[in-house]
Amino acid sequence: EWYKSNGLLPMVRIPRCTFNWKIYPFRRMIVEKFKRKEKPYAAAWLGITTDESHRARDSEIQYVVNRFPLIDMGMSRKMCIKWLEDNYPEHTFSKSGCFMCMYQSPKGWMALKKNSPDLFNIALEMERAAKENGVKAGLWAGRSIEAFNYDTTLADYGFDFQPQDFDCNAGGGCFL
């Protein structure tokens, strides 16, 4: 709602989502509930895996110390997913993120259009409103998600391709 009401979009390298709705509320809560004279007041256990160890850094505030248990255990994202599947087979796990996250893959945008067209349309409305507000970038890594705004797919014409059905590593390229 915040992005929509301000005519803005989440943008790569401007982690307003992360700061406004994760980091800042967490920090306010720590100060309000746990303030005492000795610092740090709290340890933040962050779920960063070895694949993204470049994101692991010390806290820039004195009252929180960052901990990285998955890195300490040497766990990659793939290892975490396997552990979750082995220990919680009744659950399905997927990457977290808002429906309009700019880090979403093309497959993610296509799945949103197919499975949640109402949310996809909200994302389109957000892009259009932001464009009217002077924002030049779109939601798909800076490009517009209009590329995914279609009503038909190859499946509508009888094609039922699965990823294992073809190899896009061919020298001449993938012609799908």
Side-chain angles (χ1 to χ4, degrees):
E1 289 89 13
W2 184 88
Y3 282 111
K4 199 170 177 183
S5 67
N6 287 291
L8 297 172
L9 295 174
M11 303 184 100
V12 174
R13 289 190 218 82
I14 304 173
R16 185 173 280 137
C17 304
T18 299
F19 281 102
N20 287 2
W21 298 290
K22 292 180 191 175
I23 294 172
Y24 294 152
F26 174 73
R27 289 178 179 175
R28 280 192 301 273
M29 186 267 311
I30 288 171
V31 169
E32 290 168 12
K33 296 195 180 275
F34 302 105
K35 189 171 185 177
R36 53 182 192 247
K37 293 185 187 259
E38 191 178 318
K39 294 179 183 175
Y41 305 150
W45 288 35
L46 304 173
I48 297 175
T49 60
T50 56
D51 315 79
E52 296 185 306
S53 59
H54 64 278
R55 294 180 52 221
R57 55 183 65 97
D58 291 335
S59 175
E60 71 270 7
I61 54 175
Q62 294 178 0
Y63 57 88
V64 174
V65 61
N66 290 341
R67 299 278 186 250
F68 306 97
L70 300 174
I71 291 174
D72 294 344
M73 292 186 287
M75 291 187 76
S76 67
R77 178 178 180 77
K78 189 174 182 177
M79 291 167 71
C80 287
I81 292 168
K82 171 119 175 62
W83 185 90
L84 288 167
E85 289 170 349
D86 290 348
N87 290 279
Y88 298 93
E90 69 279 8
H91 296 288
T92 15
F93 300 95
S94 61
K95 185 171 172 43
S96 65
C98 297
F99 71 91
M100 80 303 187
C101 182
M102 69 283 188
Y103 293 115
Q104 198 163 181
S105 68
K107 285 182 184 178
W109 287 113
M110 290 186 295
L112 185 68
K113 169 70 175 172
K114 180 181 178 183
N115 302 325
S116 300
D118 52 332
L119 293 178
F120 184 83
N121 287 330
I122 291 170
L124 273 176
E125 289 170 22
M126 288 173 61
E127 259 195 5
R128 291 170 182 156
K131 188 174 183 180
E132 289 174 14
N133 203 29
V135 175
K136 296 190 184 337
L139 280 169
W140 176 35
R143 300 182 300 205
S144 176
I145 61 168
E146 287 285 357
F148 304 102
N149 191 22
Y150 49 82
D151 293 324
T152 57
T153 66
L154 288 173
D156 295 324
Y157 297 100
F159 294 97
D160 186 24
F161 292 114
Q162 299 300 317
Q164 65 272 14
D165 294 339
F166 53 89
D167 178 8
C168 286
N169 293 323
C174 180
F175 298 101
L176 290 178

